[in-house]
Amino acid sequence: VPAKKTRVRFHRDSEEFTLNEKDILPFSATSITTGDDMIGFDDLNEAILLNNIRERFADDLIYTYFWPSIISLNPYVVLPEYGEHQIKNYHVPKPGQTPHLYALAQRAYRALKTTKSPQAVIISGESGSGKTELPKSF
């Protein structure tokens, strides 16, 4: 029996695809939300997570918290708002601060100083995704 096909349209750019229904995850209209930290989302599944990251990436927001982790997408271009000049802005955490790798590095450093115990940051990704460049930010 051939799989049933359904037309799907992305929210931002109205791009349409035809997909097998078995490959479509539940996604309600009330779940169409974006945010800095997905841990606070009322609904969360793979579709909602991917939509949030996709929407943020389209706005050049390459970091998204999934507390206590951070998801980073490599834009393969230099984005000035993520340069070294931003380091000083993340020395002290501020409410509503945009997710950033510098905040993660600062949190690990503070934990190292306060707890006097080793800290680890795990960086994973596909070949060419920026794993070698990312630690240079620390």
Side-chain angles (χ1 to χ4, degrees):
V1 175
K4 188 173 178 184
K5 303 277 188 180
T6 300
R7 300 270 313 151
V8 178
R9 184 170 13 129
F10 279 108
H11 177 68
R12 175 180 283 270
D13 54 18
S14 299
E15 189 175 357
E16 289 194 12
F17 298 91
T18 301
L19 302 171
N20 292 328
E21 278 195 2
K22 67 177 182 59
D23 295 329
I24 300 172
L25 296 171
F27 190 86
S28 68
T30 59
S31 298
I32 298 176
T33 185
T34 59
D36 288 348
D37 189 352
M38 293 184 289
I39 204 68
F41 283 14
D42 290 336
D43 294 322
L44 187 61
N45 61 30
E46 185 179 357
I48 294 167
L49 182 141
L50 291 174
N51 182 68
N52 185 52
I53 292 171
R54 182 177 188 270
E55 293 287 323
R56 290 178 55 74
F57 186 77
D59 291 332
D60 289 335
L61 299 169
I62 61 172
Y63 299 121
T64 304
Y65 287 129
F66 193 75
W67 201 257
S69 302
I70 190 168
I71 298 170
S72 171
L73 297 181
N74 187 346
Y76 296 102
V77 296
V78 175
L79 297 174
E81 56 270 24
Y82 294 103
E84 288 184 15
H85 64 284
Q86 290 289 340
I87 292 173
K88 66 183 179 310
N89 295 330
Y90 290 88
H91 279 285
V92 178
K94 299 172 190 90
Q97 201 167 30
T98 305
H100 202 290
L101 186 63
Y102 298 148
L104 177 69
Q106 187 61 31
R107 188 173 68 223
Y109 178 73
R110 273 194 316 274
L112 174 69
K113 298 294 276 182
T114 19
T115 66
K116 307 272 192 267
S117 62
Q119 302 297 305
V121 175
I122 299 170
I123 300 171
S124 66
E126 294 181 358
S127 177
S129 64
K131 296 181 303 295
T132 303
E133 293 302 313
L134 202 59
K136 294 176 184 176
S137 299
F138 279 59

